[in-house]
Each structure stands twice: as C-alpha cells, then as structure tokens.
Amino acid sequence: SIAKGTIYKYFSDKDDLLHALFSQSFDGLIAETERISVKEGDTRDLILEFSNTLSDFSESNRDLIFQLHKANYKESHCDKETEIMTTFMLSFEKILKNGIKKDELREMDTQQLACFSLGCFTMLSLQICI
C-alpha cells in the first residue's frame, strides 16, 4: 500500500498520473502497429491484423481509455495523444500504400482513408468503454 502523498511526490496531479499511464500503455501498441506496417504479406491480412491489434488493445485497456476520454487534459498532454494518433495513421497509411504498390488495392487517397479508419476506430473504442 502506498500513501496518497507519495504519488504526488512523482506526479503533480491526477492528470499527470493519467498521462504517464497513457504514455506507458501506448508505447507497446505503437511499436506493434509500426511492426505491422512494414510487414510483408497480403494487404487485407495486414489491415485485419492492424485493426485487431487496436481492437484488442481497446478491450484490454477499457478503463484507461474511458478515463482518457473523460479527463480534461492539460494542453501539454494533448501533444502526446496527437503524436500517438499521428503514428497510428502513418502506420496504417503505409499498409495502404504498400497494398496499392502491390496492386492489391486500387489507387486512393491513403491519408484520407487512414484518417477516416482511425476515426471509426476511436468511435468504436468509445462504444467498448460505455
């Protein structure tokens, strides 16, 4: 058991603690999505693997994600969230571009599709939490 005051020795407030948990939790997910984005294989399989990775993470981190959506973040913490979402989008976009190169997908605006897909995933993760 840790005294409440001990936590504030390391974190200035609840937002800082939540941000630290957020950053640590997402580091592994970022590494996994980047690994998938450079993996060889059928584009549809890679898209499914990418989606399943995000979905599994959402389900296993339901409480954290719910708290993140509920929290009023400090502006400095939003930068990390933006960086993470940008990384996901770029990784997914890389999968789509490789699929186009391999002629497994038709030509499209990969940035728009990646952004749209991550928006859908975000909405899905909110539904999982509620």
Side-chain angles (χ1 to χ4, degrees):
S1 174
I2 299 173
K4 198 177 202 178
T6 304
I7 289 175
Y8 290 108
K9 183 177 178 180
Y10 300 98
F11 304 100
S12 62
D13 57 22
K14 182 180 167 185
D15 270 357
D16 282 343
L17 174 61
L18 189 60
H19 179 68
L21 287 170
F22 171 78
S23 295
Q24 184 180 16
S25 296
F26 278 81
D27 286 346
L29 179 61
I30 288 170
E32 183 62 14
T33 57
E34 287 178 332
R35 182 194 66 77
I36 294 167
S37 75
V38 296
K39 190 174 171 182
E40 292 295 323
D42 181 71
T43 302
R44 290 180 184 174
D45 291 340
L46 295 174
I47 290 171
L48 185 60
E49 184 177 355
F50 189 91
S51 299
N52 285 337
T53 298
L54 293 177
S55 180
D56 291 347
F57 179 84
S58 287
E59 286 191 44
S60 62
N61 291 279
R62 180 182 306 220
D63 293 334
L64 176 62
I65 292 169
F66 180 71
Q67 291 302 319
L68 288 170
H69 286 291
K70 199 170 99 172
N72 287 327
Y73 255 8
K74 291 179 180 175
E75 199 172 310
S76 62
H77 295 169
C78 291
D79 292 343
K80 180 66 175 177
E81 187 173 349
T82 300
E83 176 187 327
I84 289 169
M85 292 308 289
T86 300
T87 302
F88 291 154
M89 191 184 85
L90 292 174
S91 294
F92 192 62
E93 187 178 6
K94 194 180 297 180
I95 292 169
L96 298 173
K97 283 182 177 180
N98 286 336
I100 291 168
K101 246 190 258 182
K102 294 187 296 187
D103 230 8
E104 295 175 347
L105 297 174
R106 64 181 173 84
E107 189 68 37
M108 65 182 91
D109 186 334
T110 55
Q111 187 176 31
Q112 278 186 341
L113 183 59
C115 195
F116 171 77
S117 299
L118 286 172
C120 290
F121 170 75
T122 301
M123 293 305 297
L124 195 73
S125 70
L126 283 174
Q127 287 179 341
I128 288 171
C129 295
I130 297 173

